[in-house]
Amino acid sequence: MQSFEATSTLKPALFAGRAKLLVGRHWPLILFCLALAFLVSGLFLALLGGWSTANVLLVSGILLVLSCLLVEIASKLRRKEFGLDLIAALAMATALWFGQYLAGAIVSVMYAGGHFLEFYAHRRAESGMTELLSRVPRSALRISDGEFIEVPIDAISPGDRLLIRRGDVVPVDGTVDGRTAVLDQSALTGEPLPARVLQGEVVLSGASNAGDAFDLIASKAAKDSTYAHVLRLVEQAKQSKAPMFRVADRMGLWFLGLTLLVAAAAVAASGDSVRLLAVLVVATPCPLILAVPVALVAGISKAARRGILIKGAAVLEALSKIDTIVFDKTGTLTIGQPTVSDVLGTDDPDALLRLAGSAELASAHPLGRAIVKEAQSRRLLLSKPVRAAEVAGEGVEAMVDGRRVLVGGPAFVRAKGIEPQMSVADASASALVCVDDRVFGAIRFEDPLRGDAVRAIEDLRTLGIKHISLASGDRLEVAKAIADRLGMDAVEADLSAADKVEIVLRTKALGSVMMVGDGVNDAPALAAADVGLAVARGNLAAAAEAADLVLLKSGLSGIVAALEVARRSRRIALQSVAVGIGLSTVAMAFAGAGLLPPVQGALIQEAIDIAVVLNALRALV
């Protein structure tokens, strides 16, 4: 019985909590619908002759929107922000004072509609982040007394033994215990090739396990680890970043002054206080309230169809002003995966690749996959390896067509009793290939440019981007080769996450800066830039959280498309505002002269709104 009573008590509380959350999440839409319902029902009753009830409904709609608007204004004033909301509030309050309820209700609907459109733009952008941010490591597999226990990363203490499975993101800093670990550290360091970490060596949080599962002895708590440090840098960069202001708020401030000046002059010249309301009604900046968010939301929707996630209208505005870009290298300008660049030390590269590729069929190592992919791209017939054995992070041994094949580094080859020729071993090769106890040749790897990188840089120059630079965590000679090939204006390499932030802040002296990156080490710089853009890649969570926009589809052409969409959307928004404010100014003059009563002024203002909204919708195309 007690259980039933507890459940009966809990259900109403749970329902109330869910209802409150639902209302809060959809309040701008609810407010707009209520304001519209009060206006429509009031007009309907007025047509039937029920003016007293109609006025009650119209006043209710005005008071509802006005109360919400006053709360919003108070919040903005605390942040020392001033904008167009003040004019809408004055118009509604004045309409109530003079009993012009229909005019006030029309203004309340227009304001609530514009507020909903802006809210919709932010919600649309935020909804696309759920999948990306779910990739942040939140738990780990702890080994305790021979048992595996899933624990939150905040519960990990120094000395805990963790199992890092293939594909896992390392949750805390620690040391390898047992077998050699093969780690993809490109998100942290910019180095595209997997790194071998031996027993007792340090592993940084944020790296991904590219090899077999291994044990990690935690050396730090999650809050003190490398990944947490990067996220703290992100927060610091965000706090130091200048806020993004809407063009509507900036223009609304001077328009407010003009409106009050015209209204005061009209009352002073005529002595008719109703003209104050008439001026305020036609001056209600609905072109700013509606045209700007409509054009920017349309631009955000257009970008989303192209796989570009933009986090709000303010980001779209800032993006339209970008004239300087800083690029990361690995995974951004390059594909971020090793590929075979050359076959050395043999006159028959296809034969070498066929044997090496056959042996590597038994391996899941990224370099092994690159060899197999290259052999398959050359249409070589691979054989099934027999008695294959892999030493994690070292190399693989197998029998292929009755021949003993070894593929691995010099240390692996020497351990098998084969002394490689130094001319081959020193040829910058990442893998030696031995057949029947002799070195057959070597394979060199590279991280190639994305296929559209050259074209994207050219298109950015055509768009008028005046300065393009490269900031990489990779070695200087590698980064410089990429920068020279793409014709970049500057290059810096061997950078940490903090170094990249410093470069972005320094580059701001040249103009409005966009940082383009993809990894954990790019996240603070993405947050520090005027606009941060994250390019889709496997370990994107930290970068996506810090960035202002995310390319969900692979390819750099999205950067060009994002800039084009942003510039066009802002141009259309400004056109709509200019026309709408111009017409409103003319209507203000008529209202100030007593030629335009409040209700007719509100209807004319609505006609202006429709015209500017239709023009703003061109940003969708």
Side-chain angles (χ1 to χ4, degrees):
M1 188 65 176
Q2 287 180 342
S3 176
F4 174 76
E5 290 177 353
T7 304
S8 300
T9 306
L10 180 61
K11 281 185 176 179
L14 184 61
F15 177 79
R18 288 179 177 175
K20 184 177 180 180
L21 179 63
L22 185 65
V23 170
R25 186 177 297 172
H26 298 286
W27 176 243
L29 174 60
I30 294 172
L31 180 64
F32 171 64
C33 291
L34 287 174
L36 184 61
F38 279 123
L39 175 60
V40 172
S41 57
L43 286 173
F44 179 74
L45 288 175
L47 291 174
L48 296 179
W51 272 106
S52 58
T53 307
N55 285 335
V56 170
L57 291 173
L58 295 175
V59 169
S60 299
I62 297 170
L63 288 174
L64 175 64
V65 176
L66 181 58
S67 60
C68 295
L69 179 54
L70 291 175
V71 171
E72 179 69 18
I73 290 174
S75 175
K76 286 188 174 182
L77 289 176
R78 284 196 295 270
R79 299 193 302 266
K80 297 182 180 181
E81 296 178 11
F82 307 92
L84 53 88
D85 297 336
L86 288 170
I87 305 178
L90 285 172
M92 282 184 267
T94 308
L96 288 173
W97 178 264
F98 289 108
Q100 299 288 335
Y101 305 133
L102 179 57
I106 293 173
V107 172
S108 69
V109 170
M110 290 297 101
Y111 175 80
H115 184 62
F116 164 67
L117 284 171
E118 284 197 298
F119 173 79
Y120 172 75
H122 288 286
R123 282 296 304 276
R124 183 182 181 91
E126 290 171 357
S127 64
M129 295 301 297
T130 303
E131 180 182 353
L132 293 171
L133 297 183
S134 66
R135 299 174 186 171
V136 177
R138 303 182 189 280
S139 64
L141 204 59
R142 184 167 63 192
I143 305 173
S144 180
D145 297 328
E147 294 184 359
F148 297 92
I149 305 171
E150 193 86 19
V151 297
I153 62 171
D154 291 337
I156 298 172
S157 301
D160 284 352
R161 178 182 294 273
L162 308 175
L163 179 66
I164 309 300
R165 295 157 294 192
R166 182 187 296 271
D168 282 355
V169 176
V170 178
V172 297
D173 293 355
T175 56
V176 174
D177 187 51
R179 70 169 65 205
T180 300
V182 181
L183 296 173
D184 177 1
Q185 300 183 111
S186 59
L188 287 172
T189 65
E191 173 56 54
L193 299 180
R196 292 189 306 108
V197 183
L198 305 178
Q199 180 171 355
E201 292 185 343
V202 174
V203 176
L204 301 180
S205 59
S208 299
N209 184 10
D212 294 333
F214 67 93
D215 288 0
L216 178 81
I217 306 299
S219 60
K220 294 181 180 178
K223 63 183 179 64
D224 300 320
S225 292
T226 301
Y227 192 86
H229 174 64
V230 170
L231 293 182
R232 282 194 293 272
L233 284 175
V234 170
E235 288 305 314
Q236 292 171 8
K238 283 182 176 180
Q239 291 172 7
S240 63
K241 185 174 181 176
M244 296 179 179
F245 295 107
R246 299 177 305 166
V247 64
D249 281 332
R250 292 194 297 270
M251 298 184 69
L253 190 58
W254 70 260
F255 189 67
L256 171 62
L258 175 64
T259 300
L260 295 177
L261 182 63
V262 172
V267 173
S270 65
D272 183 6
S273 57
V274 175
R275 294 191 186 185
L276 172 66
L277 174 61
V279 171
L280 289 176
V281 167
V282 296
T284 299
C286 289
L288 286 169
I289 295 173
L290 292 174
V292 172
V294 165
L296 298 183
V297 169
I300 290 172
S301 298
K302 182 177 181 179
R305 292 200 303 268
R306 298 188 181 188
I308 306 164
L309 175 67
I310 300 177
K311 299 181 186 178
V315 173
L316 194 73
E317 283 193 61
L319 182 61
S320 68
K321 304 171 187 176
I322 292 298
D323 55 11
T324 302
I325 300 179
V326 178
F327 278 96
D328 169 53
K329 183 187 74 70
T330 303
T332 303
L333 292 171
T334 64
I335 64 174
Q337 297 175 358
T339 61
V340 174
S341 63
D342 201 2
V343 179
L344 309 169
T346 178
D347 295 329
D348 193 352
D350 283 355
L352 182 146
L353 277 173
R354 191 188 75 79
L355 292 171
S358 298
E360 291 289 359
L361 286 173
S363 172
H365 193 282
L367 296 183
R369 291 197 297 267
I371 293 172
V372 172
K373 185 176 181 179
E374 177 65 19
Q376 291 173 337
S377 69
R378 299 191 185 197
R379 301 185 181 279
L380 303 178
L381 184 61
L382 301 183
S383 301
K384 181 180 179 180
V386 179
R387 298 198 300 273
E390 181 179 16
V391 178
E394 297 282 350
V396 64
E397 176 182 0
M399 296 299 294
V400 178
D401 296 336
R403 308 179 74 179
R404 182 188 181 217
V405 178
L406 303 176
V407 184
F412 175 73
V413 170
R414 289 190 181 98
K416 296 296 181 179
I418 303 172
E419 186 62 35
Q421 299 175 11
M422 295 307 295
S423 60
V424 175
D426 293 342
S428 301
S430 294
L432 299 175
V433 181
C434 301
V435 180
D436 294 334
D437 299 328
R438 70 178 184 86
V439 176
F440 191 179
I443 298 174
R444 180 185 294 164
F445 299 92
E446 68 173 355
D447 181 18
L449 278 174
R450 289 178 182 262
D452 58 350
V454 174
R455 176 64 182 273
I457 299 299
E458 292 174 351
D459 289 344
L460 290 172
R461 297 287 190 189
T462 302
L463 281 179
I465 301 299
K466 63 184 184 182
H467 186 86
I468 301 176
S469 61
L470 180 64
S472 174
D474 209 343
R475 302 184 308 276
L476 178 59
E477 61 270 20
V478 176
K480 191 174 187 307
I482 294 291
D484 290 344
R485 184 173 174 184
L486 295 175
M488 292 188 160
D489 301 303
V491 56
E492 296 198 50
D494 296 311
L495 303 174
S496 66
D499 293 333
K500 289 189 176 184
V501 172
E502 179 61 31
I503 288 170
V504 166
L505 296 177
R506 194 166 66 235
T507 307
K508 284 186 176 183
L510 302 176
S512 186
V513 178
M514 177 165 70
M515 173 70 193
V516 183
D518 77 305
V520 175
N521 66 331
D522 300 319
L526 292 172
D530 295 305
V531 175
L533 185 152
V535 178
R537 196 164 168 242
N539 189 17
L540 187 61
E545 187 172 6
D548 299 300
L549 64 155
V550 182
L551 297 187
L552 298 177
K553 296 180 181 178
S554 181
L556 298 177
S557 59
I559 301 174
V560 179
L563 287 168
E564 290 175 338
V565 168
R567 291 180 179 184
R568 183 170 183 269
S569 298
R570 185 172 186 271
R571 186 167 61 249
I572 290 174
L574 291 176
Q575 289 173 354
S576 300
V577 167
V579 172
I581 294 299
L583 293 175
S584 294
T585 302
V586 173
M588 283 167 55
F590 277 91
L595 302 176
L596 197 58
V599 173
Q600 287 87 333
L603 294 174
I604 287 176
Q605 182 63 56
E606 189 167 358
I608 295 173
D609 297 340
I610 293 172
V612 297
V613 166
L614 289 176
N615 183 66
L617 285 173
R618 291 191 301 113
L620 272 173
V621 182

